Amino acid sequence: MKIIMLGAPGAGKGTQAQMIADKYDIPHISTGDIFRENVKKGTELGMEAKKYMDQGLLVPDELTVKILLDRVAKPDCKNGYVLDGFPRTIPQAEVLDKAITELGEKIDYAINVDVPDENIIRRMSGRRACLACGATYHIEHIPPKQEGICDKCGKELVQRDDDKEETVKNRLDVYHKQTQPLIDFYTKQGVLRTVDGTMDMKDVFTAITTLLA
Ligand code: AP5
Ligand code: MG
Ligand code: ZN
């Protein structure tokens, strides 16, 4: 099963993608996580990506597309995957489409996790992330068992550099201008499904699994 998660920054794409990946035993591929890993390791890619991420801007397509295509070509993707944060522009969606079509395959679902902007800014300030395994928490809604420590891998949780209120506002602007048009793109392909992302995360997940069943 090949799934794309769509939605504004902080809509819960990563939270839901991880649960989908666990349930269906497919890899969770987040371009944001890949960039953050590279920033942490101080690679050339990481240093280049950080310039854009810190401002809430998109990393240029030239850098992003290659990374994603290399990743989905790996053997663990043969039974499908859940993409989180890619595609984010029409050109990215077109490149992905072409690559998948060439393999005689298709995207099964694009799941739009719908959350209004007002809710987003509140959510982001409470988010804590594990840079080691990609798990996401919220200090009020989804706290880790032990404060500041990842339940899954035991590493330290951090607040993301781009979760400052000003940067979140920029990310929302960028989302509306550059990413929202993908809703049309996947509606036309007949694969778009929208879920109400303001519900409790378990209810959002139930709505998604009902769609996928
Ligand atoms: P990326 O890491 O993808 O960030 P994003 O899209 O802004 O999305 P987030 O990860 O912030 O939010 P999310 O929807 O995953 O929500 P989460 O589950 O964490 O990208 C970061 C940057 O990398 C971009 O700005 C860009 O610069 C670059 N980049 C990445 N991909 C790119 C691409 N393809 N092209 C170009 N540039 C790219 O949830 C948010 C919070 O809410 C958490 O604290 C969570 O615990 C909580 N929460 C989740 N669900 C619920 C719920 N139902 N109720 C209450 N709280 C909830
Ligand atoms: Mg995310
Ligand atoms: Zn972890």
Side-chain angles (χ1 to χ4, degrees):
M1 187 149 49
K2 296 190 182 60
I3 300 171
I4 291 172
M5 303 303 292
L6 292 176
K13 300 181 297 293
T15 302
Q16 298 298 328
Q18 189 56 56
M19 291 194 278
I20 294 170
D22 289 345
K23 181 174 164 92
Y24 296 95
D25 199 19
I26 49 178
H28 166 203
I29 301 175
S30 157
T31 38
D33 286 351
I34 295 172
F35 288 138
R36 280 185 290 280
E37 249 170 62
N38 277 276
V39 171
K40 198 172 152 217
K41 288 187 191 143
T43 67
E44 209 171 304
L45 170 69
M47 289 188 296
E48 187 60 24
K50 190 172 176 4
K51 291 188 213 158
Y52 300 92
M53 294 169 79
D54 282 353
Q55 299 179 64
L57 300 174
L58 295 185
V59 177
D61 287 346
E62 304 83 80
L63 286 177
T64 309
V65 162
K66 185 176 180 314
I67 291 167
L68 192 278
L69 292 182
D70 286 350
R71 180 63 190 87
V72 297
K74 296 223 164 113
D76 65 334
C77 290
K78 69 177 188 312
N79 294 326
Y81 42 75
V82 49
L83 300 186
D84 159 19
F86 187 100
R88 242 182 167 92
T89 62
I90 294 282
Q92 288 182 12
E94 286 168 348
V95 171
L96 177 66
D97 217 36
K98 184 163 172 279
I100 291 182
T101 311
E102 274 168 10
L103 295 170
E105 296 170 0
K106 64 176 182 56
I107 294 295
D108 297 291
Y109 296 102
I111 300 172
N112 176 30
V113 184
D114 189 28
V115 177
D117 288 9
E118 308 84 84
N119 301 32
I120 301 270
I121 298 188
R122 247 178 303 143
R123 268 193 197 182
M124 299 304 233
S125 59
R127 171 163 60 187
R128 296 295 178 272
C130 175
L131 297 182
C133 78
T136 302
Y137 303 85
H138 190 283
I139 50 176
E140 287 159 41
H141 309 134
I142 309 155
K145 293 196 183 80
Q146 196 187 336
E147 195 186 321
I149 304 291
C150 179
D151 291 351
K152 290 204 158 178
C153 75
K155 296 270 164 54
E156 189 194 355
L157 299 177
V158 297
Q159 183 159 27
R160 273 169 47 176
D161 288 341
D162 60 350
D163 278 350
K164 288 188 296 248
E165 190 168 329
E166 264 321 293
T167 316
V168 171
K169 285 186 182 145
N170 285 343
R171 286 161 62 198
L172 280 169
D173 276 351
V174 166
Y175 167 75
H176 290 300
K177 288 195 188 105
Q178 294 183 265
T179 308
Q180 215 167 11
L182 294 178
I183 292 180
D184 251 16
F185 184 93
Y186 289 109
T187 301
K188 283 188 189 130
Q189 294 198 356
V191 297
L192 190 91
R193 303 288 184 277
T194 297
V195 295
D196 175 1
T198 64
M199 300 183 291
D200 189 86
M201 64 180 260
K202 290 196 191 67
D203 297 328
V204 178
F205 188 57
T206 305
I208 291 175
T209 49
T210 308
L211 288 174
L212 302 184

